[in-house]
PDB file of all heavy atoms in Angstrom:
ATOM      1  N   PHE A  48      -4.494 -23.197  12.027  1.00  0.00           N
ATOM      2  CA  PHE A  48      -4.370 -23.207  10.565  1.00  0.00           C
ATOM      3  C   PHE A  48      -3.641 -24.469  10.125  1.00  0.00           C
ATOM      4  O   PHE A  48      -2.486 -24.693  10.492  1.00  0.00           O
ATOM      5  CB  PHE A  48      -3.624 -21.950  10.085  1.00  0.00           C
ATOM      6  CG  PHE A  48      -4.541 -20.757   9.961  1.00  0.00           C
ATOM      7  CD1 PHE A  48      -5.306 -20.323  11.037  1.00  0.00           C
ATOM      8  CD2 PHE A  48      -4.642 -20.063   8.772  1.00  0.00           C
ATOM      9  CE1 PHE A  48      -6.164 -19.229  10.921  1.00  0.00           C
ATOM     10  CE2 PHE A  48      -5.498 -18.972   8.632  1.00  0.00           C
ATOM     11  CZ  PHE A  48      -6.263 -18.555   9.714  1.00  0.00           C
ATOM     12  N   PRO A  51      -1.291 -23.084   4.772  1.00  0.00           N
ATOM     13  CA  PRO A  51      -0.518 -21.842   4.950  1.00  0.00           C
ATOM     14  C   PRO A  51      -1.374 -20.579   4.874  1.00  0.00           C
ATOM     15  O   PRO A  51      -2.414 -20.565   4.207  1.00  0.00           O
ATOM     16  CB  PRO A  51       0.469 -21.868   3.776  1.00  0.00           C
ATOM     17  CG  PRO A  51       0.455 -23.250   3.258  1.00  0.00           C
ATOM     18  CD  PRO A  51      -0.873 -23.852   3.591  1.00  0.00           C
ATOM     19  N   SER A  52      -0.926 -19.541   5.546  1.00  0.00           N
ATOM     20  CA  SER A  52      -1.629 -18.252   5.516  1.00  0.00           C
ATOM     21  C   SER A  52      -0.710 -17.154   6.030  1.00  0.00           C
ATOM     22  O   SER A  52       0.074 -17.372   6.947  1.00  0.00           O
ATOM     23  CB  SER A  52      -2.862 -18.311   6.415  1.00  0.00           C
ATOM     24  OG  SER A  52      -3.413 -17.021   6.598  1.00  0.00           O
ATOM     25  N   THR A  53      -0.831 -15.989   5.441  1.00  0.00           N
ATOM     26  CA  THR A  53      -0.212 -14.784   6.019  1.00  0.00           C
ATOM     27  C   THR A  53      -1.327 -13.846   6.479  1.00  0.00           C
ATOM     28  O   THR A  53      -1.473 -13.535   7.657  1.00  0.00           O
ATOM     29  CB  THR A  53       0.683 -14.073   4.978  1.00  0.00           C
ATOM     30  OG1 THR A  53       1.741 -14.953   4.647  1.00  0.00           O
ATOM     31  CG2 THR A  53       1.254 -12.771   5.529  1.00  0.00           C
ATOM     32  N   ARG A  54      -2.152 -13.389   5.515  1.00  0.00           N
ATOM     33  CA  ARG A  54      -3.144 -12.368   5.794  1.00  0.00           C
ATOM     34  C   ARG A  54      -4.212 -12.793   6.789  1.00  0.00           C
ATOM     35  O   ARG A  54      -4.502 -12.071   7.742  1.00  0.00           O
ATOM     36  CB  ARG A  54      -3.874 -11.947   4.500  1.00  0.00           C
ATOM     37  CG  ARG A  54      -3.159 -10.899   3.700  1.00  0.00           C
ATOM     38  CD  ARG A  54      -3.434 -11.118   2.227  1.00  0.00           C
ATOM     39  NE  ARG A  54      -2.795 -12.347   1.841  1.00  0.00           N
ATOM     40  CZ  ARG A  54      -1.515 -12.420   1.474  1.00  0.00           C
ATOM     41  NH1 ARG A  54      -0.806 -11.334   1.368  1.00  0.00           N
ATOM     42  NH2 ARG A  54      -0.943 -13.576   1.180  1.00  0.00           N
ATOM     43  N   THR A  55      -4.810 -13.938   6.564  1.00  0.00           N
ATOM     44  CA  THR A  55      -5.973 -14.294   7.372  1.00  0.00           C
ATOM     45  C   THR A  55      -5.556 -14.545   8.817  1.00  0.00           C
ATOM     46  O   THR A  55      -6.162 -14.011   9.760  1.00  0.00           O
ATOM     47  CB  THR A  55      -6.668 -15.539   6.769  1.00  0.00           C
ATOM     48  OG1 THR A  55      -6.805 -15.326   5.371  1.00  0.00           O
ATOM     49  CG2 THR A  55      -8.030 -15.767   7.387  1.00  0.00           C
ATOM     50  N   ARG A  56      -4.509 -15.337   8.983  1.00  0.00           N
ATOM     51  CA  ARG A  56      -4.067 -15.676  10.345  1.00  0.00           C
ATOM     52  C   ARG A  56      -3.595 -14.417  11.080  1.00  0.00           C
ATOM     53  O   ARG A  56      -4.041 -14.124  12.193  1.00  0.00           O
ATOM     54  CB  ARG A  56      -2.933 -16.711  10.272  1.00  0.00           C
ATOM     55  CG  ARG A  56      -2.487 -17.266  11.602  1.00  0.00           C
ATOM     56  CD  ARG A  56      -1.580 -18.464  11.406  1.00  0.00           C
ATOM     57  NE  ARG A  56      -0.501 -18.202  10.461  1.00  0.00           N
ATOM     58  CZ  ARG A  56       0.680 -17.689  10.791  1.00  0.00           C
ATOM     59  NH1 ARG A  56       0.958 -17.406  12.034  1.00  0.00           N
ATOM     60  NH2 ARG A  56       1.602 -17.469   9.867  1.00  0.00           N
ATOM     61  N   ARG A 104      -8.544 -22.852   9.637  1.00  0.00           N
ATOM     62  CA  ARG A 104      -8.363 -23.104   8.194  1.00  0.00           C
ATOM     63  C   ARG A 104      -7.969 -24.565   8.027  1.00  0.00           C
ATOM     64  O   ARG A 104      -7.069 -25.052   8.725  1.00  0.00           O
ATOM     65  CB  ARG A 104      -7.272 -22.195   7.617  1.00  0.00           C
ATOM     66  CG  ARG A 104      -6.916 -22.560   6.186  1.00  0.00           C
ATOM     67  CD  ARG A 104      -5.989 -21.558   5.550  1.00  0.00           C
ATOM     68  NE  ARG A 104      -6.680 -20.307   5.244  1.00  0.00           N
ATOM     69  CZ  ARG A 104      -6.138 -19.305   4.558  1.00  0.00           C
ATOM     70  NH1 ARG A 104      -4.903 -19.421   4.088  1.00  0.00           N
ATOM     71  NH2 ARG A 104      -6.819 -18.202   4.330  1.00  0.00           N
ATOM     72  N   HIS A 132     -14.382 -19.300   1.720  1.00  0.00           N
ATOM     73  CA  HIS A 132     -13.522 -18.425   2.530  1.00  0.00           C
ATOM     74  C   HIS A 132     -14.383 -17.199   2.847  1.00  0.00           C
ATOM     75  O   HIS A 132     -14.200 -16.123   2.275  1.00  0.00           O
ATOM     76  CB  HIS A 132     -12.274 -18.066   1.728  1.00  0.00           C
ATOM     77  CG  HIS A 132     -11.175 -17.420   2.521  1.00  0.00           C
ATOM     78  ND1 HIS A 132     -11.337 -16.952   3.816  1.00  0.00           N
ATOM     79  CD2 HIS A 132      -9.876 -17.172   2.196  1.00  0.00           C
ATOM     80  CE1 HIS A 132     -10.186 -16.440   4.232  1.00  0.00           C
ATOM     81  NE2 HIS A 132      -9.287 -16.569   3.272  1.00  0.00           N
ATOM     82  N   GLN A 135     -12.992 -13.663   3.662  1.00  0.00           N
ATOM     83  CA  GLN A 135     -12.349 -13.004   2.514  1.00  0.00           C
ATOM     84  C   GLN A 135     -13.420 -12.347   1.644  1.00  0.00           C
ATOM     85  O   GLN A 135     -13.244 -11.225   1.159  1.00  0.00           O
ATOM     86  CB  GLN A 135     -11.541 -14.013   1.694  1.00  0.00           C
ATOM     87  CG  GLN A 135     -10.845 -13.401   0.484  1.00  0.00           C
ATOM     88  CD  GLN A 135      -9.820 -12.344   0.861  1.00  0.00           C
ATOM     89  OE1 GLN A 135      -8.966 -12.592   1.704  1.00  0.00           O
ATOM     90  NE2 GLN A 135      -9.884 -11.162   0.255  1.00  0.00           N
ATOM     91  N   ARG A 165     -11.135 -20.858  -3.503  1.00  0.00           N
ATOM     92  CA  ARG A 165     -12.295 -20.803  -2.586  1.00  0.00           C
ATOM     93  C   ARG A 165     -12.791 -19.370  -2.430  1.00  0.00           C
ATOM     94  O   ARG A 165     -13.959 -19.144  -2.130  1.00  0.00           O
ATOM     95  CB  ARG A 165     -11.907 -21.389  -1.226  1.00  0.00           C
ATOM     96  CG  ARG A 165     -10.715 -20.724  -0.575  1.00  0.00           C
ATOM     97  CD  ARG A 165     -10.239 -21.506   0.625  1.00  0.00           C
ATOM     98  NE  ARG A 165      -8.926 -21.082   1.082  1.00  0.00           N
ATOM     99  CZ  ARG A 165      -8.030 -21.890   1.637  1.00  0.00           C
ATOM    100  NH1 ARG A 165      -8.293 -23.161   1.809  1.00  0.00           N
ATOM    101  NH2 ARG A 165      -6.868 -21.427   2.049  1.00  0.00           N
ATOM    102  N   THR A 166     -11.891 -18.408  -2.656  1.00  0.00           N
ATOM    103  CA  THR A 166     -12.330 -17.008  -2.578  1.00  0.00           C
ATOM    104  C   THR A 166     -13.349 -16.731  -3.684  1.00  0.00           C
ATOM    105  O   THR A 166     -14.294 -15.970  -3.494  1.00  0.00           O
ATOM    106  CB  THR A 166     -11.139 -16.041  -2.722  1.00  0.00           C
ATOM    107  OG1 THR A 166     -10.500 -16.291  -3.970  1.00  0.00           O
ATOM    108  CG2 THR A 166     -10.148 -16.212  -1.597  1.00  0.00           C
ATOM    109  N   PRO A 265      -7.387 -11.451  -3.831  1.00  0.00           N
ATOM    110  CA  PRO A 265      -7.361 -11.812  -2.411  1.00  0.00           C
ATOM    111  C   PRO A 265      -5.930 -11.936  -1.879  1.00  0.00           C
ATOM    112  O   PRO A 265      -5.737 -11.908  -0.661  1.00  0.00           O
ATOM    113  CB  PRO A 265      -8.097 -13.156  -2.379  1.00  0.00           C
ATOM    114  CG  PRO A 265      -7.956 -13.714  -3.767  1.00  0.00           C
ATOM    115  CD  PRO A 265      -7.910 -12.531  -4.684  1.00  0.00           C
ATOM    116  N   LEU A 266      -4.969 -12.072  -2.800  1.00  0.00           N
ATOM    117  CA  LEU A 266      -3.567 -12.285  -2.452  1.00  0.00           C
ATOM    118  C   LEU A 266      -3.414 -13.616  -1.690  1.00  0.00           C
ATOM    119  O   LEU A 266      -4.371 -14.020  -1.042  1.00  0.00           O
ATOM    120  CB  LEU A 266      -2.994 -11.114  -1.652  1.00  0.00           C
ATOM    121  CG  LEU A 266      -3.126  -9.723  -2.304  1.00  0.00           C
ATOM    122  CD1 LEU A 266      -2.591  -8.637  -1.364  1.00  0.00           C
ATOM    123  CD2 LEU A 266      -2.380  -9.666  -3.646  1.00  0.00           C
ATOM    124  N   PRO A 267      -2.303 -14.290  -1.758  1.00  0.00           N
ATOM    125  CA  PRO A 267      -1.056 -13.869  -2.394  1.00  0.00           C
ATOM    126  C   PRO A 267      -1.136 -13.938  -3.924  1.00  0.00           C
ATOM    127  O   PRO A 267      -1.876 -14.733  -4.473  1.00  0.00           O
ATOM    128  CB  PRO A 267      -0.047 -14.902  -1.873  1.00  0.00           C
ATOM    129  CG  PRO A 267      -0.850 -16.139  -1.630  1.00  0.00           C
ATOM    130  CD  PRO A 267      -2.189 -15.652  -1.171  1.00  0.00           C
TER     131      PRO A 267
HETATM  132  N1   CP B 401      -6.359 -14.026   1.139  1.00  0.00           N
HETATM  133  C1   CP B 401      -5.890 -14.975   1.962  1.00  0.00           C
HETATM  134  O1   CP B 401      -6.628 -15.857   2.457  1.00  0.00           O
HETATM  135  O2   CP B 401      -4.553 -14.879   2.205  1.00  0.00           O
HETATM  136  P1   CP B 401      -3.729 -15.846   3.133  1.00  0.00           P
HETATM  137  O3   CP B 401      -3.749 -17.220   2.486  1.00  0.00           O
HETATM  138  O4   CP B 401      -2.350 -15.257   3.195  1.00  0.00           O
HETATM  139  O5   CP B 401      -4.401 -15.907   4.483  1.00  0.00           O
END
Side-chain angles (χ1 to χ4, degrees):
F48 277 56
S52 169
T53 296
R54 276 147 292 275
T55 313
R56 187 169 50 88
R104 172 172 288 187
H132 192 349
Q135 180 62 51
R165 56 190 166 212
T166 58
L266 305 177

